[in-house]
Amino acid sequence: MAKITASVYTSHVPAIGAAMDLGKTQEPYWQPLFAGYDYSKQWMKDNTPDVVFLVYNDHATAFSLEMIPTFAIGTAAQYQPADEGWGARPVPVVQGHPELASHIAQSVIQQDFDLTIVNKMDVDHGLTVPLSLMCGAKDPKTDKWPFKVIPFAVNVVQYPVPSGRRCFQLGQAIRKAVESFDEDLNVQIWGTGGMTHQLQGPRAGLINKDWDNAWLDTLIDDPAATAQVPHIDYVREAGSEGIELVMWLIARGAMADVHGGPKPKVKHRFYHVPASNTAVGHMILENS
Amino acid sequence: MSLDKPYLDVPGTTIFDAEQSRKGYWLNQFCMSLMKAENRARFLADQRKYLDEWPMTEEQKLAVLAADLNRAIALGGNIYFLAKLGATHGKSFQQMAGSMTGMTEEEYRDMMIKGGRSIEGNRYVGENGSAQPQNQPQGHGTGRLL
């Protein structure tokens, strides 16, 4: 039986990927941020899963205004890093897990969530930056990512975006789906994006450290309460792009305690300001 | 019954909802075309000519030519789409965001290093924070990306 063993949460700022690709991680501006992931890289080596179910948002890359799926699951065998206007990131091709992905798609749709099934798409920084942060720099030709990845894209670009409540419920459905897969697989679920940021307009550069940290506290201790936070609170308190945090609730909803199991262990927690325009949040939770 | 839009009283913020998306469809699709290197080269060689291939409004084209991201957003642009335009001009996300605040690149970067823009006074239209219209422009920038 496949099993979700841990959840990982991290911001996915494009400038972080650029800093890694250009060898700037030890510069004074970036060093404190990357130091916050030293533990995580070691943890990743010690706890390498078979598959990562990676929740992220596409930033007008695979999905333009021609098509805007609210929830899209990747069922392909592989995904190329996207050219977002700067050229593609020099990272390995992402290998999928079509069998588990198709199984999850069928199970989750039968649990009344309308997923869009995607068999061809490029993946942008939303997906590749978390991989780089957790696994370290990888050569696109000679290296590969140490696990397979199921991309799960959430629309947080065009409003209305799904509520935190729905994301939390979706995480629960994904857990059920994974646990009904016959093969023994170690699966992690990652929720990415978010913490305070606003990239647009005269309010750009907003940071709300107190709100971010209170949100993290509640996410750990009482995720059902976090799931009730309305959209407008994210926009007003954490900036127009802070809404990405709803994606963390998908990962949190898939943890054992939400189903009556024991509380997860907080293995790591990190917060840093700034990375480019944003606050960076990061956390690792293990099922006991 | 009208739709619920509780986000209209957040200062300095345009939420990209269905109405904005409809207004900005071709502007944003033009931006998507810049994900191909050959299109970036064609655009940079003759911006006006390239823009005229798209059914955008004249106002939208002028906002692109002026690299005025606030104007482009008011006309239906979305920052993630406009990021392709910024990238084509060789600008980072921080340079793009900074250009919209009225600050110079240095002023904006310094604000971020000092912990970012405060939320105080910037939650509701009518308060007195730095993002409120009466406190704009904030610095010595041009409000444009280039």
Side-chain angles (χ1 to χ4, degrees):
Chain A
M1 189 181 89
K3 200 173 173 200
I4 293 178
T5 52
S7 51
V8 172
Y9 308 81
T10 181
S11 305
H12 58 210
V13 187
I16 293 175
M20 291 185 76
D21 301 341
L22 301 170
K24 293 181 175 177
T25 57
Q26 293 311 308
E27 288 184 1
Y29 181 89
W30 288 110
Q31 197 277 333
L33 182 140
F34 287 103
Y37 288 83
D38 285 345
Y39 172 89
S40 314
K41 287 201 272 282
Q42 186 58 48
W43 178 87
M44 202 72 242
K45 282 181 185 151
D46 298 338
N47 296 275
T48 309
D50 300 304
V51 185
V52 167
F53 189 93
L54 205 160
V55 182
Y56 73 111
N57 65 294
D58 178 80
H59 303 77
T61 302
F63 308 118
S64 69
L65 293 183
E66 286 180 5
M67 237 184 289
I68 308 161
T70 299
F71 298 118
I73 185 167
T75 50
Q78 59 178 38
Y79 309 90
Q80 298 290 334
D83 179 347
E84 300 178 58
W86 291 269
R89 282 197 67 210
V91 292
V93 172
V94 174
Q95 302 299 327
H97 197 303
E99 298 82 7
L100 178 60
S102 311
H103 171 89
I104 292 172
Q106 175 153 345
S107 167
V108 169
I109 291 167
Q110 284 175 341
Q111 296 176 69
D112 292 339
F113 289 90
D114 307 316
L115 308 188
T116 298
I117 292 165
V118 183
N119 285 308
K120 187 177 190 309
M121 67 172 168
D122 291 349
V123 288
D124 71 17
H125 71 268
L127 185 129
T128 61
V129 166
L131 291 176
S132 296
L133 277 170
M134 295 300 291
C135 304
K138 297 280 177 203
D139 186 284
K141 290 199 175 70
T142 54
D143 292 338
K144 55 180 189 175
W145 300 112
F147 40 72
K148 295 184 170 177
V149 178
I150 298 176
F152 191 86
V154 179
N155 167 44
V156 288
V157 173
Q158 177 170 332
Y159 278 65
V161 311
S163 67
R165 186 176 62 246
R166 185 154 173 80
C167 289
F168 188 57
Q169 290 166 347
L170 175 58
Q172 296 171 49
I174 290 165
R175 178 185 170 84
K176 207 170 156 186
V178 168
E179 291 192 339
S180 66
F181 191 68
D182 283 337
E183 195 183 334
D184 280 329
L185 288 177
N186 178 339
V187 180
Q188 290 178 6
I189 183 163
W190 294 10
T192 74
M195 292 276 111
T196 314
H197 63 308
Q198 176 149 343
L199 304 174
Q200 53 127 343
R203 202 170 76 134
L206 185 79
I207 298 289
N208 194 345
K209 192 176 173 181
D210 291 343
W211 192 91
D212 282 341
N213 279 291
W215 191 90
L216 282 174
D217 290 342
T218 318
L219 184 72
I220 295 167
D221 294 332
D222 190 359
T226 314
Q228 299 304 319
V229 173
H231 277 161
I232 186 64
D233 287 19
Y234 290 93
V235 174
R236 209 179 293 288
E237 299 289 338
S240 49
E241 281 68 55
I243 191 70
E244 289 181 356
L245 280 171
V246 296
M247 294 186 290
W248 291 31
L249 281 157
I250 297 178
R252 188 66 184 87
M255 295 299 282
D257 62 324
V258 179
H259 300 251
K263 285 272 173 203
K265 283 187 219 149
V266 182
K267 299 298 285 186
H268 186 53
R269 178 170 167 173
F270 174 67
Y271 185 81
H272 175 77
V273 175
S276 186
N277 302 283
T278 90
V280 167
H282 172 43
M283 197 159 65
I284 299 174
L285 300 183
E286 267 180 14
N287 275 326
S288 300
Chain B
M1 201 178 86
S2 63
L3 293 167
D4 187 23
K5 294 188 175 183
Y7 43 78
L8 297 177
D9 65 350
V10 181
T13 304
T14 304
I15 293 298
F16 188 68
D17 60 10
E19 186 185 353
Q20 288 299 107
S21 180
R22 181 181 53 74
K23 264 167 61 179
Y25 183 80
W26 286 114
L27 167 59
N28 290 314
Q29 291 300 97
F30 145 73
C31 290
M32 289 299 287
S33 75
L34 299 176
M35 289 173 70
K36 291 200 169 87
E38 74 230 42
N39 289 343
R40 295 196 284 272
R42 275 213 301 129
F43 172 71
L44 290 174
D46 188 339
Q47 296 189 29
R48 179 76 220 192
K49 188 175 168 213
Y50 189 86
L51 285 168
D52 282 342
E53 295 172 14
W54 294 85
M56 294 157 59
T57 66
E58 182 62 18
E59 264 189 307
Q60 288 171 335
K61 291 178 190 176
L62 293 175
V64 170
L65 291 170
D68 184 338
L69 300 184
N70 279 329
R71 190 76 205 122
I73 285 173
L75 297 169
N78 170 278
I79 188 60
Y80 290 126
F81 291 82
L82 292 167
K84 327 294 185 199
L85 175 65
T88 299
H89 287 304
K91 301 294 181 180
S92 70
F93 245 108
Q94 186 171 65
Q95 290 167 318
M96 292 179 225
S99 78
M100 291 181 269
T101 65
M103 288 184 256
T104 62
E105 187 182 344
E106 292 72 26
E107 287 167 340
Y108 182 80
R109 192 173 57 222
D110 287 350
M111 175 181 81
M112 295 315 299
I113 289 170
K114 287 178 187 146
R117 180 186 307 285
S118 171
I119 185 70
E120 297 311 323
N122 285 325
R123 288 184 175 90
Y124 293 89
V125 169
E127 297 181 322
N128 200 28
S130 55
Q132 302 281 344
Q134 71 273 20
N135 295 327
Q136 291 284 328
Q138 293 158 255
H140 301 88
T142 61
R144 293 175 179 184
L145 188 55
L146 300 176

